[in-house]
Amino acid sequence: MYYIDSRAVTEAIGKDARTFRALLDFGGRILSGADVGRITIEHTMSDDDTLSIGDIIARRAEIHLYGTRHVAKGESFRLYLYLLDHDGTGRARHLDLSQWTHAELAMLTHAQIAALGITKDADGAALDGYLIPFGAFVVANVRISGISTVITAYDRLAACDMPYVPSIPFPTDSGTLTEDVLTQLGITERVIPDSGAFITSDAGPLLTAEGEEFLCSDEYSFAIPDAPDGKTCREVLGYIAAMHGGNGILDRNGAYTTAFIARGGAAFDMEKLDEPEIAEADISVDGLRCILGSDAELTAGNPEGAHAVEFTCPWMTRERLLAIWDSIRHIRWRPAQVHERLADPRRDIGDLRYYSRGRDRFHIPILSLTYHFDGGLSADITAAGRLDEEV
């Protein structure tokens, strides 16, 4: 879930009458407003029947640009949405323009200026949440369709099938190896979980026997004795993500992290949903099967069950697999397909939503998320599992 501090922006997102505009930042060259038409953004974190562990998941975007603008394959850009605020005539008000500096306006076309929304408050400070990030992408394909340009783009994880060539000595640890793989992929940022210091009863820091501050972190780190020769970047990142019990993704700002189902969630706004397709009963993960190599595996729970999760990780230990199994075996969810007519742009894969029907409330994790933008914003949301499965 993407958090926005501005109450005004949050309230505007929740309104029935709201209009968005898209902005593509190519690093100084901006395409926005009337230059950008339809957009589809896809992100999926499961297979058809159950959850996934150890997958490396790239975002995909298809963007229609008005006119035959020159956009080259291999160019990088960041995609944002923002709320449009004008007087209903399609022309920007003087108030809108007065909030921009001349230098900022000089970068935009007349059409873009006509579509500007409010970006700064009365004191000239930028509004929090004005630009809502939707990912950092690389253009993979460009085609001309009539008078429009259609680009297909992926985030940098789409390139991770390249062979991994180590530039670090071994043995090493999982964090250092992750950084080396990301550097090879051109991913410069990584989300590191916050560490917390243990505090003694007199409010001082708890120290180790060596006199260092004792810290705790949600990040799991482990030793890797030998270089993973002959492996792709996807395989190496996938093995490490599996040891975390999650999947590798890039966040909205292009930073790498591992993700699974969030522990907390919020309810759907039922009035903004089309009639969803929902299974008759909850399901859960039956068991885990971790492939260590060609002739070795580790299992937990019932690995033969219909909703068992199978993945590969040669570094897995029985203790670590049991810890992952203990963390997910109680998760229950309802397979579903939901269309949100007025989508919330803050949703991410892995978010947990609640759906109420009568006296029942179901857990619906967002395991596949497709945004559709055309000035409005809608979303298709899927929670893994067969909708017609017999109980």
Side-chain angles (χ1 to χ4, degrees):
M1 185 76 173
Y2 179 72
Y3 291 98
I4 295 174
D5 292 333
S6 171
R7 180 179 297 178
V9 174
T10 300
E11 290 177 350
I13 286 172
K15 292 181 178 178
D16 291 341
R18 83 268 167 92
T19 304
F20 290 98
R21 288 290 184 265
L23 185 147
L24 282 66
D25 185 352
F26 285 86
R29 180 165 58 91
I30 303 293
L31 296 177
S32 67
D35 289 329
V36 185
R38 292 184 289 113
I39 299 176
T40 301
I41 306 164
E42 301 172 346
H43 212 190
T44 299
M45 193 175 70
S46 72
D47 61 20
D48 292 336
D49 294 322
T50 190
L51 308 181
S52 64
I53 292 176
D55 283 353
I56 304 301
I57 304 157
R59 275 187 177 89
R60 176 186 183 274
E62 183 175 277
I63 303 173
H64 293 247
L65 302 174
Y66 292 117
T68 54
R69 294 185 172 275
H70 181 68
V71 176
K73 182 178 178 180
E75 280 194 282
S76 300
F77 66 92
R78 292 179 180 269
L79 175 62
Y80 303 88
L81 292 188
Y82 62 93
L83 286 159
L84 181 67
D85 186 356
H86 58 66
D87 61 2
T89 66
R91 296 187 298 274
R93 299 171 297 180
H94 181 267
L95 174 64
D96 299 332
L97 301 182
S98 67
Q99 297 178 81
W100 287 62
T101 67
H102 175 76
E104 290 171 324
L105 290 174
M107 295 176 61
L108 306 179
T109 66
H110 292 295
Q112 290 167 344
I113 292 172
L116 287 178
I118 293 178
T119 64
K120 299 180 181 179
D121 64 21
D123 296 323
L127 286 174
D128 291 331
Y130 155 61
L131 290 176
I132 303 172
F134 270 77
F137 295 91
V138 178
V139 177
N141 184 58
V142 181
R143 72 178 191 272
I144 305 300
S145 177
I147 61 172
S148 299
T149 300
V150 182
I151 66 174
T152 302
Y154 298 86
D155 70 29
R156 291 190 179 276
L157 287 180
C160 66
D161 287 317
M162 68 172 66
Y164 169 58
V165 181
S167 63
I168 55 174
F170 285 81
T172 189
D173 61 85
S174 55
T176 302
L177 178 55
T178 298
E179 295 288 354
D180 194 46
V181 178
L182 296 179
T183 299
Q184 183 170 333
L185 293 172
I187 299 169
T188 58
E189 296 180 85
R190 181 179 171 209
V191 177
I192 303 296
D194 291 335
S195 295
F198 282 101
I199 304 299
T200 63
S201 59
D202 59 357
L206 181 65
L207 302 180
T208 66
E210 290 76 26
E212 296 179 351
E213 194 170 343
F214 197 93
L215 302 175
C216 65
S217 173
D218 289 335
E219 184 175 42
Y220 180 76
S221 181
F222 58 98
I224 299 172
D226 303 307
D229 295 331
K231 301 300 181 182
T232 65
C233 293
R234 181 182 303 277
E235 288 174 311
V236 176
L237 288 179
Y239 298 158
I240 297 173
M243 294 291 283
H244 286 250
N247 301 287
I249 66 170
L250 297 188
D251 71 5
R252 289 168 175 259
N253 293 302
Y256 181 78
T257 188
T258 55
F260 199 61
I261 297 176
R263 296 186 180 274
F268 279 114
D269 184 340
M270 307 300 291
E271 295 182 354
K272 295 179 180 178
L273 304 182
D274 285 347
E275 188 63 30
E277 296 183 63
I278 299 178
E280 289 300 314
D282 288 344
I283 61 174
S284 60
V285 175
D286 295 310
L288 302 177
R289 183 191 303 277
C290 178
I291 307 301
L292 301 176
S294 58
D295 57 354
E297 64 180 39
L298 292 171
T299 63
N302 176 16
E304 306 298 333
H307 305 297
V309 178
E310 182 175 307
F311 58 96
T312 299
C313 178
W315 300 318
M316 185 61 67
T317 64
R318 177 166 297 280
E319 292 75 17
R320 185 60 188 163
L321 186 70
L322 291 176
I324 295 170
W325 170 237
D326 190 57
S327 71
I328 71 172
R329 64 193 181 95
H330 298 296
I331 297 175
R332 300 187 65 82
W333 75 95
R334 186 67 59 97
Q337 292 180 359
V338 176
H339 180 73
E340 192 175 27
R341 293 189 308 276
L342 294 170
D344 190 323
R346 297 167 295 175
R347 304 251 198 271
D348 288 308
I349 58 168
D351 286 355
L352 185 62
R353 298 286 108 184
Y354 303 118
Y355 179 88
S356 298
R357 186 168 65 187
R359 296 182 178 180
D360 297 327
R361 188 174 77 158
F362 315 130
H363 291 188
I364 299 181
I366 300 177
L367 300 177
S368 178
L369 175 61
T370 301
Y371 278 114
H372 305 279
F373 162 79
D374 59 1
L377 188 69
S378 62
D380 291 312
I381 295 169
T382 301
R386 291 178 52 186
L387 299 177
D388 59 351
E389 187 167 9
E390 294 183 1
V391 182

